[in-house]
Amino acid sequence: MAEQSTPPVEPEGNGPGRLRVFLVDDHAMFRAGVRAELGAHVEVVGEASTVADAVSRIAATGPDVVLLDVHMPDGGGRAVLEAMRRSHPEVRFLALSVSDAAEDVIGLIRAGARGYVTKTISPDELAAAIRRVADGDAVFSPRLAGFVLDAFAARPDAPVADPELDQLTNREREVLRLLARGYAYKEIARELYISIKTVETHVSNVLRKLQMSNRYELSRWAADRRLV
């Protein structure tokens, strides 16, 4: 009996409804990984590693959804959102970040993002989140939704502000958060794609700005602000 062949399965999104996605992240290896994982689901129309490039290239490509890193050296996701939301209100933004801190989540949502997921998300879940955001839904990683509900229910019009925290750069906040979770300097360096010496410099800056003497004080301070 002749063997019957099975017709090939078309990748999701190859038809007219294929979503156009733009990637904003300052880590080239991460962008390459996301592009490879999403290739069967969406059309990646461009990418950028800085705020300025992101603003100009998003305007030029007109994507349906922008995947947006929260912390970048020149301002991060919020700066991109604030530059784009008035001139291109049709573009939807989904934050994709290593950070799961309440102030990052709330800040991006207040700035206009339609959702916020962490980089631990699976490729299939990310593709589904992109489609939901494109359809107008709000999407959050499970633990993060509570931050937004609490913030908007308790103080719907109040800005998220912390004078001490505002002293720190975005990178210093990332280092502080991982340090408070018990990461060693080498692990922080690997997680953030920076050198151990750079980690040491950031920790010294954080200790100086917050007027603390060791990582244990930093950990307690971060826990009090739900940064861990």
Side-chain angles (χ1 to χ4, degrees), residues 18 55 94 101 147 158 172 206 208 221 227:
R18 189 169 173 82
V55 170
L94 172 62
F147 295 156
E172 287 167 355
V206 172
R208 174 178 53 79
W221 186 89
L227 301 181

Side-chain angles (χ1 to χ4, degrees), residues 148-160:
V148 179
L149 291 174
D150 290 346
F152 282 83
R155 301 170 63 196
D157 300 318
V160 178

Side-chain angles (χ1 to χ4, degrees), residues 18-24 35 38-39 42-48 54 56-67 91:
R18 189 169 173 82
L19 290 173
R20 305 174 74 253
V21 174
F22 192 98
L23 309 178
V24 180
R35 180 186 286 272
L38 291 179
V42 302
E43 178 186 359
V44 178
V45 296
E47 58 185 66
S56 63
R57 293 177 185 177
I58 291 168
T61 55
D64 300 303
V65 177
V66 175
L67 286 181
V91 178

Side-chain angles (χ1 to χ4, degrees), residues 162-199:
D162 185 323
E164 289 184 300
L165 189 62
D166 287 345
Q167 298 178 76
L168 307 183
T169 66
N170 288 332
R171 184 63 85 191
E172 287 167 355
R173 295 186 194 190
E174 289 181 319
V175 170
L176 168 61
R177 192 171 299 116
L178 295 174
L179 191 73
R181 290 177 179 173
Y183 282 55
Y185 284 9
K186 181 163 60 174
E187 294 171 320
I188 296 173
R190 185 170 59 246
E191 184 77 17
L192 299 180
Y193 301 94
I194 57 179
S195 70
I196 295 174
K197 184 174 179 59
T198 300
V199 173

